[in-house]
Amino acid sequence: MFLTQIAPDGAVEQRRRETRLAVSAEVALRPFGAAGAEARLLNISSNGFMAETDADIGKGSRVWLTLPDGNRASALVIWSKDGRLGGQFSEVIDPLVVFQALGRIASSGANPFAKVVPAPSARSAKSPKPSA
């Protein structure tokens, strides 16, 4: 038995036109049935992601991506070249949830995986008082 997903004309192109949000965060990437690998998430959208990794993960591989919020997303590797790969999520995700998690992680300083610099607080953004 073969399972096939048929996309209407233009569906793939529409998906690729979706805005990708740039991000830089350490994540775990694990091919199905294999050991996990470290990766750096470079961009993300609701349908997919791009990451850098030293692991040998080829086109057509199914992977688990552990997102900065701790949730995992299943994806199909669509392309892989020179240590980078692009994946299409099996189910649509909300990339803004990823950014919210990165903000919480960065402000708490609790997660060694995320390397995100939080925006300056309003208090630190105020100019110093003039000296008399």
Side-chain angles (χ1 to χ4, degrees), residues 6-84:
I6 300 174
D9 288 340
V12 172
E13 281 303 311
Q14 182 61 36
R15 203 168 37 241
R16 289 185 179 160
R17 288 187 194 137
E18 181 182 6
T19 301
R20 287 164 171 73
L21 303 173
V23 65
S24 180
E26 299 298 321
V27 294
L29 190 62
R30 185 177 65 79
F32 285 17
E38 293 180 1
R40 175 171 293 278
L41 187 62
L42 300 174
N43 70 41
I44 193 165
S45 71
S46 60
N47 290 303
F49 68 95
M50 180 171 65
E52 285 181 324
T53 184
D54 290 333
D56 185 21
I57 301 173
K59 177 181 177 180
S61 298
R62 289 239 168 239
V63 298
W64 285 109
L65 175 68
T66 302
L67 297 166
D69 65 357
N71 287 318
R72 291 188 319 168
S74 170
L76 173 66
V77 176
I78 302 298
W79 63 270
S80 177
K81 184 177 180 181
D82 299 329
R84 289 189 174 194

Side-chain angles (χ1 to χ4, degrees), residues 23-27 41 66-71 96-119:
V23 65
S24 180
E26 299 298 321
V27 294
L41 187 62
T66 302
L67 297 166
D69 65 357
N71 287 318
L96 296 179
V97 171
V98 173
F99 274 87
Q100 289 170 348
L102 287 171
R104 281 192 309 274
I105 291 164
S107 64
S108 73
N111 186 345
F113 294 108
K115 299 201 171 40
V116 178
V117 178

